[in-house]
Amino acid sequence: MNKAPAWSYSSITLFDQCPKKYYHMRVVKDIKEPESEAMLYGTAVHTAAEEYVRDGTPIPEQYKYMEPMLEKLMKIDGEKICELKMGIKKVDGRFAPCGFFDKDVWYRGIADLLIIDRVKKEARVIDYKTGKSSRYADPK
């Protein structure tokens, strides 16, 4: 029997929404969900935020609402790492870090932004949220 797919926030949400849909999309992979307007919008917002933080690329006009929030994040001391892919595996009944694509990964996650302040020994994990519709984007 094949190993179950690794968990992630999106896979847990999909399973909670409909176990049968999860089975078809993530286990047997016989259907693929088409990209919605909300999905395309979310991708565009994440890309704009990533390029702003990582490269200093100006925010496109349609996403200017998020610039004040991104400016606050930029003022936080520490190294800024965008789109960090992380994996966790089980080792002897405990969890341990591993590569995102390792064959024995148990859970996968992508931090939209990780800020590491080595002096204070603090780390902040940021997850941008846009909401389910581009019409109702959450600027918080």
Side-chain angles (χ1 to χ4, degrees):
M1 183 173 179
N2 290 340
K3 180 183 170 294
W7 289 108
S8 67
Y9 178 79
S10 62
S11 66
I12 291 169
T13 302
L14 178 62
F15 184 85
D16 189 43
Q17 178 189 68
C18 178
K20 185 171 180 159
K21 185 176 180 181
Y22 171 86
Y23 174 76
H24 286 286
M25 292 179 68
R26 301 290 172 93
V27 178
V28 296
K29 300 179 182 178
D30 60 351
I31 63 168
K32 186 177 183 215
E33 188 170 25
E35 287 190 311
S36 67
E37 175 187 337
M39 291 166 70
L40 294 170
Y41 177 79
T43 299
V45 166
H46 277 72
T47 299
E50 177 184 358
E51 291 174 353
Y52 180 81
V53 172
R54 187 190 64 218
D55 307 323
T57 303
I59 298 284
E61 193 59 40
Q62 67 267 38
Y63 309 126
K64 284 286 188 186
Y65 70 86
M66 64 184 191
E67 194 166 20
M69 179 268 305
L70 292 172
E71 275 300 313
K72 286 181 185 179
L73 293 173
M74 293 296 291
K75 289 179 183 175
I76 297 172
D77 288 336
E79 178 185 2
K80 299 347 182 247
I81 303 168
C82 296
E83 296 296 312
L84 179 65
K85 294 179 177 177
M86 300 173 283
I88 297 173
K89 64 182 178 179
K90 286 185 178 181
V91 178
D92 298 325
R94 300 183 66 160
F95 296 106
C98 69
F100 189 78
F101 294 109
D102 284 4
K103 66 177 183 164
D104 56 350
V105 65
W106 179 79
Y107 186 90
R108 290 185 177 115
I110 302 174
D112 293 332
L113 175 61
L114 176 64
I115 303 173
I116 300 173
D117 186 332
R118 296 183 196 285
V119 174
K120 294 180 183 175
K121 297 183 180 181
E122 293 178 350
R124 299 171 192 247
V125 178
I126 312 301
D127 187 43
Y128 307 130
K129 293 296 181 197
T130 56
K132 292 187 184 244
S133 169
S134 61
R135 294 181 188 94
Y136 305 106
D138 183 358
K140 299 174 190 167

